[in-house]
């Protein structure tokens, strides 16, 4: 009972494999199409030559003149009639044998002096009604009279003794194309195997290195990101191998970066979680109100730090994502004023003066999430590390096709030896171990890189502190 089902499934699998596109089949089909094009070109070439010949060098005219010249020595009408009759019979036998020309050829001979018909084949008498008399004018000529709805080609020539007329059905263009196409086809069919077989073999052999490369990649483990090790000998495969090795190298770097990121994140989040656990234990067990209040303050601080760290981890992961949002139109000056307003409570609590130097409006088309990450983290970093009573100055301006943002303070600054490390993830300078997560400036650098800009460290306010200067290219239409 299961045999028909198995057979059906086998046939379906076979059909699926046959219907699947292959490079070998594509190459063979391409050559076959090329053969068809060659056949069409040759047919067109023959047709053009045929039209040129019957227009400028008609064979019927040459044939008629030659036959008329051969009849010149014959003066006896009976002998001339016998010669033309034999010629008429022979020509039509050859036409039937060749099968290239339609209908029959009809030869008529007249006495030039009297106009008397010496020889006329059957059928021509009926056509004579539609043939104009000027066909018998002096000299030789070719005309195309219409008789009984059929177009004919007629030769008329004469000498001192005889007048010869040859009438045949005009060969239609479609008839010529059909017969010429049939004549060309055997030659192409004969040549096809000698062309298609080498093409099939060459394509099949040419694909073997590619198939070997595919097997090498298929045999690799899911965690194996080492170079392919294919050592391609063919010039066409070297770019593929190099691209694969480059891709694997990028993946190795990405995996190593993510592994280090996860380890650092786990290490960073462990401390606030330990604090939360310890302070929650104190709040639950301590009988002293003051200890419970102090534990609650430490607990809230640890929760805030953990929340801030988690948000920065999410921001950094979003910036690492290859999927970038479409640029949006944004009034950067108005948005920046709102961002500074959010930092005012923390600044006021520490008596830090915030200032903004920006135009009333500055529209731009940019990656809004990335720009928001840059501004928020630079402002937060400045407020966090500027001593109480200090100053933080933010400036925004546009110059040409670039948007510039600077955040400066008059705090303790960053030592020259540390400036090359401040953009590293989880790096905190000396004296800042208890503040921040070490991710703010890393987020800034990643966001700036995603926007195609650059960030530099310079002097802060009045030559003190530190300043961060960001330059972001904008589209010309922004």
């Amino acid at each position: 009972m299961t045999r028909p089902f198995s057979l059906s499934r086998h046939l379906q699998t076979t059909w699926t494999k046959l219907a699947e596109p292959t490079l070998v089949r594509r190459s063979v089909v391409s050559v076959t199409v090329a053969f068809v094009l060659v056949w069409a070109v040759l047919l067109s070439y023959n047709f053009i030559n045929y039209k040129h010949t019957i227009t400028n060098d008609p064979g019927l005219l040459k044939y008629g003149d030659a036959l008329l010249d051969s009849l010149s020595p014959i003066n006896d009408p009976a002998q001339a009639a016998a010669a033309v009759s034999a010629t008429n019979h022979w020509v039509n036998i050859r036409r039937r044998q060749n099968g290239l020309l339609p209908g029959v050829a009809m030869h008529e001979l007249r006495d030039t002096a009297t106009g008397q018909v010496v020889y006329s084949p059957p059928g021509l008498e009926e056509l004579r009604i539609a043939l104009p008399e000027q066909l018998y004018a002096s000299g030789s000529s070719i005309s195309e009279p219409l008789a009984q709805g059929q177009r004919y080609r007629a030769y008329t020539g004469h000498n001192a003794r005889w007048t010869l007329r040859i009438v045949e059905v005009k060969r239609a263009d479609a008839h010529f194309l059909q017969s010429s196409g049939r004549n060309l086809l055997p030659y192409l069919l004969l040549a096809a195997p000698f062309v298609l077989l080498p093409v099939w073999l060459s394509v099949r052999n040419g694909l073997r290195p590619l198939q070997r490369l595919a097997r090498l990649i298929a045999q690799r483990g899911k965690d194996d990101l080492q170079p392919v090790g294919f050592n391609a000998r063919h010039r066409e495969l070297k770019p593929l191998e190099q691209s694969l090795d480059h891709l694997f190298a990028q993946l190795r770097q990405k995996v190593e970066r993510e592994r280090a990121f996860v380890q650092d994140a786990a290490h960073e989040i462990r401390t606030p979680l330990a604090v939360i656990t310890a302070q929650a234990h104190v709040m639950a067990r301590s009988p002293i109100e003051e200890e419970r209040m102090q534990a609650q303050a430490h607990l809230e601080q640890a929760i805030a730090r953990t929340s801030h760290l988690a948000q920065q981890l999410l921001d950094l992961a979003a910036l690492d994502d290859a999927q970038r949002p479409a640029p949006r139109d944004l009034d950067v000056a108005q948005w920046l004023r709102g961002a500074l307003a959010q930092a005012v409570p923390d600044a006021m609590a520490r008596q830090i003066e915030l200032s903004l130097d920006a135009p009333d409006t500055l529209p731009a088309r940019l990656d809004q999430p990335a720009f928001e990450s840059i501004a928020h983290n630079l402002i937060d970093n400045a407020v966090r590390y500027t001593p109480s009573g200090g100053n933080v100055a933010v400036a925004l301006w546009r110059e040409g096709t670039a948007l510039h943002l600077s955040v400066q303070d008059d705090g303790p600054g960053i030592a020259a030896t540390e400036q090359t490390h401040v953009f590293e993830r989880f790096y905190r300078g000396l004296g800042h171990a208890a503040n921040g997560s070490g991710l703010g400036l890393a987020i800034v650098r990643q966001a700036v890189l995603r926007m195609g800009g650059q960030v530099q460290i310079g002097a802060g306010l009045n030559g003190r502190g530190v300043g961060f200067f960001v330059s972001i290219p904008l589209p010309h239409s922004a």
Side-chain angles (χ1 to χ4, degrees):
M1 294 299 292
T2 60
R3 184 174 181 180
F5 173 78
S6 299
L7 179 59
S8 174
R9 185 171 57 183
H10 175 73
L11 291 175
Q12 184 178 5
T13 303
T14 303
W15 170 251
T16 302
K17 291 182 178 180
L18 291 176
E20 184 180 9
T22 66
L23 291 177
V24 175
R25 187 186 306 156
R26 180 177 180 179
S27 301
V28 173
V29 170
S30 299
V31 175
T32 303
V33 172
F35 264 94
V36 175
L37 291 177
V38 169
W39 174 80
V41 170
L42 292 177
L43 185 60
S44 302
Y45 176 76
N46 288 346
F47 179 73
I48 293 173
N49 283 343
Y50 162 72
K51 299 294 286 186
H52 177 80
T53 299
I54 64 174
T55 302
N56 302 314
D57 189 20
L60 183 60
L61 183 63
K62 292 182 177 180
Y63 166 72
D65 288 345
L67 179 58
L68 185 61
D69 185 63
S70 66
L71 292 172
S72 297
I74 304 175
N75 290 318
D76 184 16
Q79 292 182 1
V84 174
S85 176
T87 301
N88 187 82
H89 183 65
W90 177 83
V91 166
N92 286 301
I93 290 177
R94 291 296 298 156
R95 289 170 70 98
R96 287 193 298 270
Q97 288 176 344
N98 291 336
L100 299 179
L101 299 175
V104 296
M106 295 173 285
H107 298 64
E108 180 189 76
L109 186 65
R110 291 190 178 202
D111 190 310
T112 301
T114 64
Q116 183 180 359
V117 176
V118 176
Y119 172 80
S120 180
L124 186 57
E125 186 68 26
E126 291 79 1
L127 297 178
R128 186 176 300 145
I129 300 173
L131 293 175
E133 288 298 326
Q134 56 263 34
L135 290 175
Y136 300 101
S138 60
S140 59
S141 63
I142 296 292
S143 62
E144 296 185 355
L146 182 66
Q148 299 179 359
Q150 176 68 53
R151 184 67 67 178
Y152 290 85
R153 298 187 78 238
Y155 163 84
T156 302
H158 72 85
N159 55 26
R161 183 70 182 89
W162 306 111
T163 296
L164 177 65
R165 184 173 61 163
I166 305 171
V167 180
E168 64 179 10
V169 176
K170 182 182 179 181
R171 190 179 189 186
D173 293 344
H175 182 271
F176 172 82
L177 292 173
Q178 183 179 4
S179 60
S180 182
R182 285 199 306 265
N183 291 335
L184 288 173
L185 192 58
Y187 297 99
L188 294 177
L189 292 178
L190 181 63
F194 298 97
V195 176
L196 292 177
L197 183 60
V199 168
W200 179 75
L201 292 175
S202 63
V203 173
R204 185 176 182 182
N205 291 333
L207 290 176
R208 285 181 178 175
L210 188 60
Q211 293 170 347
R212 187 161 61 89
L213 175 60
R215 287 195 298 269
L216 284 176
I217 295 177
Q219 293 170 359
R220 298 166 66 93
K222 62 180 182 179
D223 297 326
D224 186 2
L225 297 178
Q226 297 303 312
V228 177
F230 180 62
N231 297 325
R233 294 185 297 107
H234 302 83
R235 184 174 58 186
E236 293 80 4
L237 289 180
K238 288 182 179 179
L240 177 60
E241 181 186 10
Q242 293 170 358
S243 299
L244 287 173
D245 287 344
H246 180 66
L247 175 62
F248 286 146
Q250 290 181 320
L251 290 175
R252 284 198 307 272
Q253 294 175 1
K254 183 177 179 62
V255 170
E256 291 172 359
R257 185 170 62 248
E258 290 181 349
R259 183 181 294 114
F261 176 74
V262 171
Q263 292 175 352
D264 291 339
H267 175 75
E268 290 295 326
I269 208 170
R270 184 183 304 159
T271 299
L273 288 180
V275 173
I276 292 173
T277 302
Q279 300 306 321
H281 180 77
V282 171
M283 289 181 62
R285 300 295 181 88
S286 176
I288 304 174
E289 179 69 18
E290 183 179 355
E291 289 183 355
R292 291 198 302 270
M293 294 294 294
Q294 186 177 8
Q296 181 179 354
H298 291 164
L299 179 62
E300 292 175 351
Q301 183 180 6
I303 292 176
R305 181 182 176 187
T306 305
S307 176
H308 179 69
L309 176 61
Q311 183 60 49
Q312 287 193 316
L313 290 173
L314 292 175
D315 292 342
L316 198 56
L319 291 172
D320 282 339
D321 192 359
Q323 298 294 330
R324 301 182 181 182
R328 296 175 54 186
D329 293 324
L330 176 69
D331 189 336
V332 186
Q334 292 295 332
W335 179 89
L336 190 57
R337 288 186 177 89
L340 278 176
Q342 297 177 14
V344 166
D346 291 339
M348 292 181 61
R350 301 177 55 203
Q351 299 181 348
I352 296 175
E353 181 178 348
L354 292 177
S355 64
L356 174 64
D357 181 10
D360 292 336
T361 179
L362 203 165
R365 176 179 288 270
L366 42 68
D367 182 345
Q368 182 174 346
F371 180 78
E372 291 178 355
S373 296
I374 295 171
H376 278 308
N377 281 282
L378 286 180
I379 295 172
D380 178 76
N381 186 77
V383 172
R384 183 183 299 273
Y385 295 115
T386 298
S388 299
N391 297 274
V392 174
V394 180
L396 178 71
W397 71 98
R398 178 170 180 170
E399 184 176 344
T401 59
L403 181 68
H404 298 274
L405 172 68
S406 69
V407 178
Q408 298 174 275
D409 62 55
D410 56 1
I414 301 176
T417 56
E418 296 184 11
Q419 290 185 3
T420 57
H421 302 288
V422 293
F423 293 108
E424 297 176 2
R425 298 179 180 184
F426 300 106
Y427 179 82
R428 287 188 291 267
L430 298 176
H432 302 299
N435 292 328
S437 61
L439 287 176
L441 294 180
I443 293 174
V444 170
R445 182 184 64 174
Q446 189 66 25
V448 170
L449 291 177
R450 191 170 90 167
M451 299 180 73
Q454 57 183 357
V455 56
Q456 297 177 342
I457 301 178
L461 295 175
N462 301 322
R464 299 176 54 193
V466 65
F468 291 91
F469 303 89
V470 177
S471 177
I472 301 171
L474 296 176
H476 292 287
S477 59

